[in-house]
Amino acid sequence: MKIGFDFGTSFSALAVYRDGEIHRIMFDGEPQFRTAIYFPPYAPSADFFNADDHQTEIASIRSALIRSETEAKENYSDRVREERVRVTSQARNDPAGYNADRQLSAKYQRMLSDAIIRIPEPVETTRADKDKQAIETARRQWLESEAGKDRVLGNLEESQLEGALFGNEAVDAYLNNDRKGLLLYNPKAFLAHDLSSRLSAPLERAIGSLFRKVVGAVEEQFQGEQVTGVVIGRPVNFGKKQSDVENDRAISIITHAAELAGMSNVSFMYEPSAASYQFHVSQDTPRKVLVVDLGGGTADLSLVTLGGAEPAPIPHRQQGYLLGGNDVDRELNKKGYMPFFGKGQEVRGIPALNSYFAYAANVQHIEYQKKFIEADLRLVPEPFRERLNHLKKSGNTIRLNRLAEESKIELGRQESRSRKVIDFIGEERGVDIDGAIYADAMARYLEKLKVLLQEFSDEDFDMVSLTGGMSRAKGVKELVERVFPDKDVQSSESTLDVVSGLAIYAAQQ
């Protein structure tokens, strides 16, 4: 069985085409899931500690124990000597301090004896005891070091891969587990990065664990059948540089991840072509179309000929850009929610750490998140400093981003105001986002989209096909109609055009 897999930046979906019908793969009752993977905390077992592999550490610990015991004996002798000097000095100044034999009187003998008893005697251990203590200490240090591998991609253990969660369940598990473990939020955004082999190989395994989960969901829905191949949707460009190097890097990671999940037959289809594939197979007469696929992380524009006798859309020109719904989420976060945390406040005449508010809002960028967490907030006045310190903890930037995303969806449905309660900052406060803030965030998105659309204004075509989640946002269709006033603009109401096309194409291979 071959499946179609829309591996999206924000959300992913799978489908199977059979007997003229598209079968959606359901996840918790929904035909798509959030593209997020969570690996629970690594719990190392002391049974895996091999003392033979740690002889250097054990020898060092044993030497330290010997030194400590020797120092304790010397310290004890010094303390006894000091008490003897102190008591005898007192006795010399007391006529009754010594008896007739020039020995300390009974009073001072008891005083000296009591003082020496109060000095802790050093414990002398055998060599075997020291060896045992050194091994136990080395084992404890190893366990602490192993447990510290959490949240580091290069240190993922097999037990964590097997216990991986995905979708909203992954985000919720991470947030509810005090940010322990590792969360890959929108892992597709990392694929174009120039990662070392130390990170690219674990990233393949991590995404492979997600692919195994979704293959399991397919095979559970289609009992008795096995997934042998997959057609995966891909953007025109994975990275900012729009280079073949970035694209080849991403394709390689996805291919290996799919193979790790047992799908040996892996192929790719451009997402705009997949989104228009149902239209393509339904048209007897060829038609030149500009497909505009607007998703959570990318905007892909593809000029293709659809319909006719060709087995697949004929591409003429394609462009892909890093522009998506995530950009609107980020703007809503910065303009709507960050003022609650102090954005725009003046600190000694300088706007307070404005760059760090941008870092906090950019949850897809690991380095920016790290910079925010490491920010020095000492100059920030209260109550903003306390709120920001809470925002640094336990994945709260992700919580805040989810509120921004929910506000975007609500305000995109003609709502004039979105009210969200922030309850993870040591207090519970409501924050209102109005239509003006949404309009400003969308204006930035639309301004960039207009530039991209205008790159195709000189092309010859007679129809624009709008698809993807952001294609239904306020102002998008109107913008397309202004840029292409003489074109037939068709807007899809489905968010699953890409996976539907992938499924049909997969079934025909």
Side-chain angles (χ1 to χ4, degrees), residues 353-388:
L353 302 174
N354 276 342
S355 60
Y356 290 106
F357 293 108
Y359 294 151
N362 199 331
V363 297
Q364 283 83 23
H365 201 298
I366 295 175
E367 286 302 314
Y368 287 171
Q369 291 290 288
K370 180 181 178 183
K371 287 182 178 181
F372 168 65
I373 290 171
E374 294 175 348
D376 184 351
L377 304 176
R378 286 176 296 179
L379 295 179
V380 179
E382 295 293 2
F384 306 115
R385 181 167 65 244
E386 182 178 0
R387 291 173 182 174
L388 284 169

Short mmCIF file of all heavy atoms in Angstrom, two decimals, residues 353-388:
data_model
loop_
_atom_site.label_atom_id
_atom_site.label_comp_id
_atom_site.label_asym_id
_atom_site.label_seq_id
_atom_site.Cartn_x
_atom_site.Cartn_y
_atom_site.Cartn_z
N LEU A 353 14.95 45.75 26.13
CA LEU A 353 15.22 44.42 25.58
C LEU A 353 14.28 44.04 24.45
O LEU A 353 13.81 42.90 24.38
CB LEU A 353 15.12 43.37 26.71
CG LEU A 353 16.05 43.57 27.91
CD1 LEU A 353 15.74 42.57 29.00
CD2 LEU A 353 17.51 43.46 27.51
N ASN A 354 13.98 44.96 23.56
CA ASN A 354 13.00 44.67 22.51
C ASN A 354 13.37 43.46 21.66
O ASN A 354 12.51 42.71 21.21
CB ASN A 354 12.80 45.89 21.62
CG ASN A 354 11.81 46.87 22.22
OD1 ASN A 354 11.04 46.51 23.10
ND2 ASN A 354 11.81 48.10 21.75
N SER A 355 14.67 43.26 21.43
CA SER A 355 15.08 42.11 20.62
C SER A 355 14.71 40.81 21.32
O SER A 355 14.37 39.82 20.66
CB SER A 355 16.58 42.15 20.36
OG SER A 355 17.31 42.12 21.58
N TYR A 356 14.72 40.79 22.66
CA TYR A 356 14.41 39.56 23.37
C TYR A 356 12.93 39.22 23.32
O TYR A 356 12.56 38.05 23.42
CB TYR A 356 14.91 39.64 24.82
CG TYR A 356 16.41 39.60 24.89
CD1 TYR A 356 17.15 40.75 25.17
CD2 TYR A 356 17.11 38.43 24.63
CE1 TYR A 356 18.53 40.72 25.19
CE2 TYR A 356 18.49 38.38 24.66
CZ TYR A 356 19.20 39.53 24.95
OH TYR A 356 20.56 39.50 24.97
N PHE A 357 12.08 40.21 23.15
CA PHE A 357 10.65 39.91 22.96
C PHE A 357 10.47 39.20 21.61
O PHE A 357 9.66 38.27 21.50
CB PHE A 357 9.82 41.19 23.01
CG PHE A 357 9.81 41.83 24.37
CD1 PHE A 357 10.50 43.02 24.62
CD2 PHE A 357 9.11 41.25 25.42
CE1 PHE A 357 10.49 43.61 25.87
CE2 PHE A 357 9.10 41.84 26.68
CZ PHE A 357 9.79 43.02 26.90
N ALA A 358 11.24 39.63 20.62
CA ALA A 358 11.18 38.96 19.32
C ALA A 358 11.71 37.55 19.43
O ALA A 358 11.16 36.61 18.84
CB ALA A 358 11.97 39.75 18.28
N TYR A 359 12.78 37.36 20.21
CA TYR A 359 13.31 36.02 20.41
C TYR A 359 12.28 35.11 21.08
O TYR A 359 12.10 33.96 20.71
CB TYR A 359 14.58 36.06 21.27
CG TYR A 359 15.75 36.76 20.65
CD1 TYR A 359 16.70 37.39 21.44
CD2 TYR A 359 15.92 36.79 19.27
CE1 TYR A 359 17.80 38.03 20.88
CE2 TYR A 359 17.01 37.42 18.70
CZ TYR A 359 17.94 38.04 19.51
OH TYR A 359 19.02 38.68 18.95
N ALA A 360 11.61 35.64 22.09
CA ALA A 360 10.62 34.84 22.83
C ALA A 360 9.47 34.43 21.92
O ALA A 360 8.92 33.33 22.05
CB ALA A 360 10.09 35.63 24.02
N ALA A 361 9.08 35.31 20.99
CA ALA A 361 7.95 35.02 20.12
C ALA A 361 8.30 34.05 18.99
O ALA A 361 7.40 33.45 18.39
CB ALA A 361 7.41 36.32 19.51
N ASN A 362 9.58 33.88 18.73
CA ASN A 362 10.00 33.02 17.62
C ASN A 362 10.27 31.61 18.15
O ASN A 362 11.41 31.21 18.32
CB ASN A 362 11.26 33.60 16.96
CG ASN A 362 11.48 33.03 15.57
OD1 ASN A 362 11.08 31.90 15.29
ND2 ASN A 362 12.11 33.81 14.71
N VAL A 363 9.20 30.84 18.37
CA VAL A 363 9.35 29.52 18.99
C VAL A 363 9.93 28.49 18.04
O VAL A 363 10.34 27.41 18.46
CB VAL A 363 8.00 29.02 19.55
CG1 VAL A 363 7.49 29.94 20.63
CG2 VAL A 363 6.96 28.88 18.43
N GLN A 364 9.95 28.78 16.72
CA GLN A 364 10.51 27.83 15.77
C GLN A 364 12.04 27.89 15.71
O GLN A 364 12.66 27.03 15.11
CB GLN A 364 9.96 28.08 14.35
CG GLN A 364 8.55 27.58 14.14
CD GLN A 364 7.52 28.57 14.64
OE1 GLN A 364 7.80 29.76 14.75
NE2 GLN A 364 6.33 28.10 14.93
N HIS A 365 12.62 28.90 16.33
CA HIS A 365 14.07 29.12 16.22
C HIS A 365 14.73 28.79 17.56
O HIS A 365 14.58 29.52 18.53
CB HIS A 365 14.35 30.57 15.83
CG HIS A 365 15.69 30.80 15.23
ND1 HIS A 365 16.86 30.55 15.91
CD2 HIS A 365 16.06 31.23 13.99
CE1 HIS A 365 17.88 30.85 15.14
NE2 HIS A 365 17.43 31.26 13.97
N ILE A 366 15.46 27.68 17.60
CA ILE A 366 16.04 27.19 18.86
C ILE A 366 17.02 28.20 19.44
O ILE A 366 17.02 28.46 20.65
CB ILE A 366 16.73 25.84 18.63
CG1 ILE A 366 15.68 24.78 18.25
CG2 ILE A 366 17.49 25.40 19.88
CD1 ILE A 366 16.27 23.43 17.89
N GLU A 367 17.88 28.78 18.59
CA GLU A 367 18.88 29.71 19.10
C GLU A 367 18.24 30.97 19.68
O GLU A 367 18.71 31.50 20.69
CB GLU A 367 19.87 30.08 17.99
CG GLU A 367 20.85 28.97 17.65
CD GLU A 367 21.67 28.55 18.86
OE1 GLU A 367 22.17 29.43 19.58
OE2 GLU A 367 21.80 27.34 19.09
N TYR A 368 17.18 31.46 19.05
CA TYR A 368 16.49 32.63 19.59
C TYR A 368 15.86 32.31 20.94
O TYR A 368 15.88 33.15 21.86
CB TYR A 368 15.41 33.10 18.62
CG TYR A 368 15.93 33.80 17.38
CD1 TYR A 368 15.08 34.12 16.33
CD2 TYR A 368 17.27 34.15 17.27
CE1 TYR A 368 15.56 34.76 15.19
CE2 TYR A 368 17.76 34.79 16.14
CZ TYR A 368 16.89 35.09 15.10
OH TYR A 368 17.37 35.72 13.99
N GLN A 369 15.30 31.12 21.07
CA GLN A 369 14.73 30.73 22.36
C GLN A 369 15.81 30.69 23.43
O GLN A 369 15.60 31.13 24.57
CB GLN A 369 14.06 29.36 22.24
CG GLN A 369 12.79 29.36 21.39
CD GLN A 369 11.65 30.09 22.07
OE1 GLN A 369 11.08 29.60 23.05
NE2 GLN A 369 11.32 31.26 21.56
N LYS A 370 16.98 30.19 23.07
CA LYS A 370 18.09 30.14 24.02
C LYS A 370 18.51 31.55 24.43
O LYS A 370 18.77 31.81 25.62
CB LYS A 370 19.26 29.40 23.39
CG LYS A 370 20.48 29.28 24.29
CD LYS A 370 21.60 28.55 23.58
CE LYS A 370 22.83 28.48 24.48
NZ LYS A 370 23.98 27.82 23.79
N LYS A 371 18.57 32.47 23.46
CA LYS A 371 18.96 33.84 23.78
C LYS A 371 17.96 34.49 24.73
O LYS A 371 18.34 35.25 25.63
CB LYS A 371 19.08 34.66 22.50
CG LYS A 371 20.29 34.33 21.66
CD LYS A 371 20.37 35.22 20.43
CE LYS A 371 21.63 34.92 19.61
NZ LYS A 371 21.74 35.79 18.42
N PHE A 372 16.66 34.21 24.53
CA PHE A 372 15.66 34.78 25.43
C PHE A 372 15.83 34.23 26.84
O PHE A 372 15.80 34.97 27.82
CB PHE A 372 14.25 34.48 24.92
CG PHE A 372 13.18 34.79 25.93
CD1 PHE A 372 12.95 36.09 26.35
CD2 PHE A 372 12.42 33.78 26.49
CE1 PHE A 372 11.99 36.38 27.30
CE2 PHE A 372 11.45 34.05 27.44
CZ PHE A 372 11.23 35.36 27.84
N ILE A 373 16.02 32.92 26.95
CA ILE A 373 16.16 32.30 28.27
C ILE A 373 17.38 32.83 29.00
O ILE A 373 17.39 32.99 30.23
CB ILE A 373 16.23 30.76 28.12
CG1 ILE A 373 14.86 30.22 27.68
CG2 ILE A 373 16.65 30.08 29.41
CD1 ILE A 373 14.87 28.76 27.29
N GLU A 374 18.44 33.19 28.26
CA GLU A 374 19.68 33.69 28.88
C GLU A 374 19.67 35.20 29.07
O GLU A 374 20.64 35.77 29.57
CB GLU A 374 20.87 33.29 28.00
CG GLU A 374 21.10 31.78 27.95
CD GLU A 374 22.20 31.40 26.97
OE1 GLU A 374 22.62 32.29 26.19
OE2 GLU A 374 22.63 30.23 26.98
N ALA A 375 18.58 35.88 28.70
CA ALA A 375 18.53 37.34 28.79
C ALA A 375 18.66 37.82 30.23
O ALA A 375 18.08 37.25 31.15
CB ALA A 375 17.23 37.85 28.19
N ASP A 376 19.43 38.88 30.43
CA ASP A 376 19.59 39.51 31.74
C ASP A 376 18.44 40.51 31.92
O ASP A 376 18.36 41.52 31.22
CB ASP A 376 20.94 40.22 31.79
CG ASP A 376 21.23 40.82 33.17
OD1 ASP A 376 20.32 40.84 34.02
OD2 ASP A 376 22.38 41.28 33.38
N LEU A 377 17.57 40.24 32.88
CA LEU A 377 16.36 41.05 33.07
C LEU A 377 16.45 41.99 34.27
O LEU A 377 15.43 42.55 34.69
CB LEU A 377 15.15 40.12 33.24
CG LEU A 377 14.91 39.10 32.12
CD1 LEU A 377 13.75 38.18 32.49
CD2 LEU A 377 14.65 39.80 30.80
N ARG A 378 17.63 42.19 34.82
CA ARG A 378 17.74 42.95 36.07
C ARG A 378 17.25 44.38 35.94
O ARG A 378 16.76 44.96 36.92
CB ARG A 378 19.20 42.94 36.54
CG ARG A 378 19.64 41.61 37.12
CD ARG A 378 21.10 41.62 37.48
NE ARG A 378 21.95 41.79 36.30
CZ ARG A 378 23.28 41.85 36.34
NH1 ARG A 378 23.91 41.78 37.50
NH2 ARG A 378 23.98 41.99 35.23
N LEU A 379 17.36 44.98 34.76
CA LEU A 379 16.94 46.37 34.59
C LEU A 379 15.45 46.52 34.29
O LEU A 379 14.93 47.64 34.28
CB LEU A 379 17.74 47.03 33.46
CG LEU A 379 19.25 47.19 33.69
CD1 LEU A 379 19.89 47.83 32.47
CD2 LEU A 379 19.52 48.02 34.94
N VAL A 380 14.77 45.42 34.04
CA VAL A 380 13.35 45.48 33.68
C VAL A 380 12.53 45.74 34.94
O VAL A 380 12.66 45.04 35.94
CB VAL A 380 12.90 44.17 33.02
CG1 VAL A 380 11.41 44.22 32.67
CG2 VAL A 380 13.72 43.90 31.76
N PRO A 381 11.67 46.74 34.92
CA PRO A 381 10.87 47.04 36.12
C PRO A 381 9.77 46.00 36.33
O PRO A 381 9.36 45.29 35.42
CB PRO A 381 10.27 48.41 35.79
CG PRO A 381 10.19 48.43 34.29
CD PRO A 381 11.39 47.67 33.81
N GLU A 382 9.32 45.95 37.58
CA GLU A 382 8.17 45.09 37.90
C GLU A 382 6.90 45.77 37.42
O GLU A 382 6.85 46.99 37.31
CB GLU A 382 8.11 44.82 39.41
CG GLU A 382 9.28 44.03 39.95
CD GLU A 382 9.32 42.59 39.45
OE1 GLU A 382 8.45 42.21 38.63
OE2 GLU A 382 10.23 41.86 39.87
N PRO A 383 5.83 45.01 37.11
CA PRO A 383 5.71 43.56 37.25
C PRO A 383 6.26 42.79 36.07
O PRO A 383 6.13 41.56 36.01
CB PRO A 383 4.20 43.37 37.35
CG PRO A 383 3.65 44.43 36.43
CD PRO A 383 4.55 45.61 36.63
N PHE A 384 6.90 43.51 35.12
CA PHE A 384 7.30 42.85 33.88
C PHE A 384 8.44 41.86 34.10
O PHE A 384 8.48 40.81 33.45
CB PHE A 384 7.69 43.90 32.84
CG PHE A 384 6.61 44.92 32.61
CD1 PHE A 384 6.79 46.25 32.94
CD2 PHE A 384 5.39 44.53 32.07
CE1 PHE A 384 5.80 47.18 32.74
CE2 PHE A 384 4.39 45.46 31.86
CZ PHE A 384 4.58 46.78 32.20
N ARG A 385 9.36 42.19 35.02
CA ARG A 385 10.48 41.27 35.24
C ARG A 385 9.98 39.91 35.72
O ARG A 385 10.42 38.86 35.23
CB ARG A 385 11.47 41.86 36.24
CG ARG A 385 12.67 40.94 36.46
CD ARG A 385 13.80 41.62 37.19
NE ARG A 385 13.45 42.00 38.55
CZ ARG A 385 13.38 43.24 38.98
NH1 ARG A 385 13.62 44.25 38.16
NH2 ARG A 385 13.07 43.52 40.23
N GLU A 386 9.05 39.93 36.68
CA GLU A 386 8.53 38.66 37.19
C GLU A 386 7.78 37.90 36.10
O GLU A 386 7.90 36.68 35.97
CB GLU A 386 7.59 38.91 38.38
CG GLU A 386 7.07 37.61 39.00
CD GLU A 386 6.19 37.87 40.21
OE1 GLU A 386 6.00 39.04 40.57
OE2 GLU A 386 5.69 36.89 40.79
N ARG A 387 6.99 38.61 35.29
CA ARG A 387 6.25 37.94 34.22
C ARG A 387 7.21 37.31 33.21
O ARG A 387 7.00 36.19 32.75
CB ARG A 387 5.34 38.95 33.51
CG ARG A 387 4.17 39.43 34.38
CD ARG A 387 3.40 40.55 33.69
NE ARG A 387 2.32 41.05 34.53
CZ ARG A 387 1.57 42.10 34.23
NH1 ARG A 387 1.80 42.76 33.09
NH2 ARG A 387 0.62 42.50 35.04
N LEU A 388 8.27 38.03 32.86
CA LEU A 388 9.23 37.50 31.89
C LEU A 388 9.98 36.30 32.47
O LEU A 388 10.28 35.34 31.74
CB LEU A 388 10.23 38.59 31.49
CG LEU A 388 9.69 39.62 30.50
CD1 LEU A 388 10.66 40.79 30.38
CD2 LEU A 388 9.48 39.00 29.12
#
